[in-house]
Amino acid sequence: MAGPLQKVVTRGEGWMETEAINRAAWRAQIVEAAIEPDLPIIDSHHHIWRDAPVEPWEAYPAAAMIADKVNSAHNVVATVYVDSHSAYRVDGPEHLRVVGETEYAGSVGDDCDARGGRAVGGCAAVVTHANLLMGAAVGEVLDAHIAASSRFRGIRHMTAIDPDLPPVYGATEYGVMMRPEFREGFAELARRNLSFDAWMFHPQLPELLDLARAFPEANIVLDHTGGPIGIGRFAGKRDEAFAAWKKDMSAIAACPNVSVKVGGLNMTYTAMDAIENPRPNTSEEVALLQRDHFLTTIDLFGPDRCMVESNFPVDMRSISYDVLWNSVKRMTADLTRSDREHIFAGTARRVYRLP
């Protein structure tokens, strides 16, 4: 496909810039005024790639994140940095190198607050990575994260894997959350009152249900609306896939220790994206595509256990920052003011212990 949808499929000098220029021009086809520009938003899930991302993702350094927050027509008062597999230490004990990401993200947050103005609140909370398959030994890594930044709140150990999807979502083996050594590591996390961001696809949700029941006091955050798949074996079977997703989400909702990030639905595997379209979707079109998953999640878990996310720069390949928040506001327009205050800021503030 030519023009602004051209993809760079081989890495070479300039590949990142080509993708960025093309995608930026493609997104710029849809420009919208902000709906409810004064509504406070805590973006509960974004990444920063200090290092070069894996193609075809665009570069998204700290400056880009800060620019999105500062220049947005929406009132993004704070953000939560999540595991980006970036800025690891390049020396020292191998198992502690991940702590470099907490040091880096914490420093970005400090810089945001020092800048003042609308930059304040960037990376207000930091969620990075520790390998829970280390078992009890992961406690040393968690303590190092805690010491590295006062913004550190928890970790994400990505487990998303599916036979119909390429192995680019952070996991290379199945059933990780069920393994004894993972549970031993998870116990160390829970003991320290740290959060666990859970990233998986909807066929894996029963594993999270088992984990949540085994650790009823743990603070578990389910990412990306539970990862509903709409391609592969689920292509053309939206109703069937939705029913399976809803069944397992309903069971997890009975676990009061699990909250959900509603969002992350602009990725290709959901079949609710616009990445291959001639132009991005408008916020009305996005709302129409995603509202069933979005509103069902809120109905199941309650507004006080749901929080909005941008999932930038991953979702950025399909939608601009301001159009994304417009779509979320459209989908939640019929909810009460109190419910929306939870979803847009209150839940994230409580779960990630923000001021």
Side-chain angles (χ1 to χ4, degrees), residues 206-219:
E207 296 177 33
L208 182 66
L209 175 62
D210 190 87
L211 182 70
R213 287 173 172 171
F215 295 90
E217 302 304 318
N219 178 11

Side-chain angles (χ1 to χ4, degrees), residues 166-180:
V168 296
Y169 295 96
T172 57
E173 55 185 321
Y174 293 88
V176 169
M177 288 180 288
M178 306 299 291
R179 289 170 56 173

Side-chain angles (χ1 to χ4, degrees), residues 64-76:
M65 182 278 294
I66 295 170
D68 276 337
K69 183 181 186 305
V70 170
N71 298 328
S72 174
H74 297 273
N75 185 22
V76 181

Side-chain angles (χ1 to χ4, degrees), residues 65-143:
M65 182 278 294
I66 295 170
D68 276 337
K69 183 181 186 305
V70 170
N71 298 328
S72 174
H74 297 273
N75 185 22
V76 181
V77 297
T79 77
V80 178
Y81 174 98
V82 179
D83 171 35
S84 305
H85 288 248
S86 181
Y88 287 2
R89 294 172 179 171
V90 295
D91 53 23
E94 185 72 30
H95 66 290
L96 293 177
R97 292 186 180 184
V98 295
V99 178
E101 185 167 15
T102 295
E103 294 167 334
Y104 172 70
S107 70
V108 172
D110 292 343
D111 178 57
C112 285
D113 288 352
R115 289 175 184 234
R118 295 196 62 184
V120 171
C123 296
V126 171
V127 176
T128 48
H129 174 67
N131 183 7
L132 297 185
L133 291 172
M134 292 176 62
V138 79
E140 180 188 2
V141 182
L142 298 175
D143 289 339

